[in-house]
Amino acid sequence: MKKATLATLVAAMFVTATAQAQTSPDTLTKVLETKELVVCSPGDYKPFSFDNNGKFEGVDNDLMDKLAQSMGAKVTIVKTTWKTLMDDFTANKCDIAVGGISITLERQQKALFTEPYFINGKTPIVRCENVDKYQTVEQINRPEVRIIANPGGSNEKYARNELSNANLTMNAENLTIFQQVIDKKVDVFVSEAAEAIVKAHEHKGVLCAVNPDKPLKPAQNGWLIHNGDYRFKSYVDQFLHLEKMSGNLDKTINKWLPRD
């Protein structure tokens, strides 16, 4: 009886393991077979990924091209939004998601992240004459200060959680927020340090990043990998490791991230 029970248990474990293996995603095999890497990106976040009249460009897009080449594949972009990013990704509309995505516990409840490839953090973007006024959270988190955020991403979450006393305006998307600051319709936009640096460079003397090397809340960027797909995560992590070791990662970042 005991032998029969043990045999039954082993058989059940084998069936369970087989079923799990069959249902677990295997993106690496899929890409190697189809010769296509499908990438989700909002495409509105310089220097990482920006939709330039249908051509996506930036740090992440350059790296995606190299990642795809390592598998003999081409890149297909699926444009998403920060509000729908996680829903689109978990609905399997793409193999990997990129675009300056902050690594957060909330997102990790739904998907895996690659190893971080960039140190970032929440940084105020203001009109240059106001740099001294908005140095700290305490200076920004006041009812008379008009802040702005785009829906669905970590910028909105930070504004609502950390700047709840400020006067918040929601802007439908990321691209037009900066003009709102320039036109004095709002006072502060808290985004990531990398974006603050890029926009301060684009609008030199008008917009300034406030202490981008000392962000209000440090963060890291990574790429989204499907939950349970540890084989593909290991592959992409190794790709990033080799890019770092060779110095190519820094070269790619410096290509798109201006330093005045």
Side-chain angles (χ1 to χ4, degrees):
M1 263 314 264
K2 289 182 179 179
K3 289 183 178 179
T5 302
L6 180 59
T8 302
L9 178 60
V10 170
M13 291 173 63
F14 176 77
V15 170
T16 301
T18 302
Q20 289 176 341
Q22 290 174 344
T23 57
S24 296
D26 187 0
T27 303
L28 182 56
T29 296
K30 172 180 174 289
V31 174
L32 289 172
E33 291 177 349
T34 64
K35 305 300 181 185
E36 180 184 40
L37 177 65
V38 184
V39 179
C40 282
S41 175
D44 64 353
Y45 185 180
K46 292 181 179 181
F48 298 103
S49 182
F50 181 72
D51 182 0
N52 186 5
N53 295 318
K55 184 181 185 301
F56 280 67
E57 56 188 29
V59 173
D60 286 7
N61 297 109
D62 283 0
L63 292 171
M64 283 299 103
D65 286 341
K66 293 186 71 172
L67 175 63
Q69 287 170 11
S70 75
M71 297 178 283
K74 65 175 184 178
V75 171
T76 297
I77 299 288
V78 174
K79 189 170 184 178
T80 183
T81 68
W82 290 108
K83 188 173 183 178
T84 62
L85 174 65
M86 289 305 303
D87 287 341
D88 287 343
F89 186 66
T90 56
N92 294 315
K93 293 184 179 180
C94 50
D95 304 315
I96 189 170
V98 308
I101 304 171
S102 297
I103 298 174
T104 66
L105 293 177
E106 183 179 5
R107 285 170 173 151
Q108 285 192 305
Q109 292 172 9
K110 299 177 181 179
L112 300 172
F113 269 101
T114 61
E115 291 295 317
Y117 66 98
F118 189 84
I119 304 297
N120 219 337
K122 293 303 176 191
T123 298
I125 304 170
V126 303
R127 292 183 297 281
C128 291
E129 66 266 23
N130 291 332
V131 167
D132 291 339
K133 290 176 62 176
Y134 302 120
Q135 292 276 315
T136 66
V137 171
E138 291 74 23
Q139 289 176 309
I140 300 170
N141 191 27
R142 302 165 69 91
E144 65 271 22
V145 179
R146 301 167 301 166
I147 64 173
I148 192 168
N150 52 308
S154 61
N155 291 340
E156 179 186 7
K157 185 176 180 181
Y158 184 84
R160 294 192 184 281
N161 293 344
E162 308 296 333
L163 304 173
S164 58
N165 292 328
N167 183 359
L168 174 63
T169 294
M170 293 303 298
N171 204 65
E173 42 75 44
N174 196 42
L175 296 177
T176 57
I177 279 181
F178 308 96
Q179 194 61 45
Q180 298 281 74
V181 180
I182 292 170
D183 292 341
K184 300 185 179 182
K185 294 180 179 178
V186 295
D187 303 309
V188 182
F189 174 40
V190 178
S191 185
E192 301 295 332
E195 183 170 51
I197 291 169
V198 168
K199 291 302 176 179
H201 181 79
E202 288 182 0
H203 303 279
K204 196 172 296 186
V206 180
L207 292 181
C208 285
V210 181
N211 304 322
D213 295 329
K214 297 179 181 179
L216 301 177
K217 183 179 180 181
Q220 295 176 312
N221 293 123
W223 300 330
L224 287 173
I225 302 289
H226 286 292
N227 203 18
D229 197 353
Y230 291 100
R231 183 168 181 248
F232 190 52
K233 171 177 162 52
S234 295
Y235 185 89
V236 180
D237 283 346
Q238 180 64 8
F239 166 79
L240 284 171
H241 175 70
L242 293 173
E243 288 293 293
K244 291 176 184 177
M245 292 288 289
S246 68
N248 287 331
L249 180 60
D250 284 341
K251 289 179 182 178
T252 302
I253 291 170
N254 291 334
K255 171 184 172 183
W256 294 101
L257 185 61
R259 292 286 186 179
D260 293 332

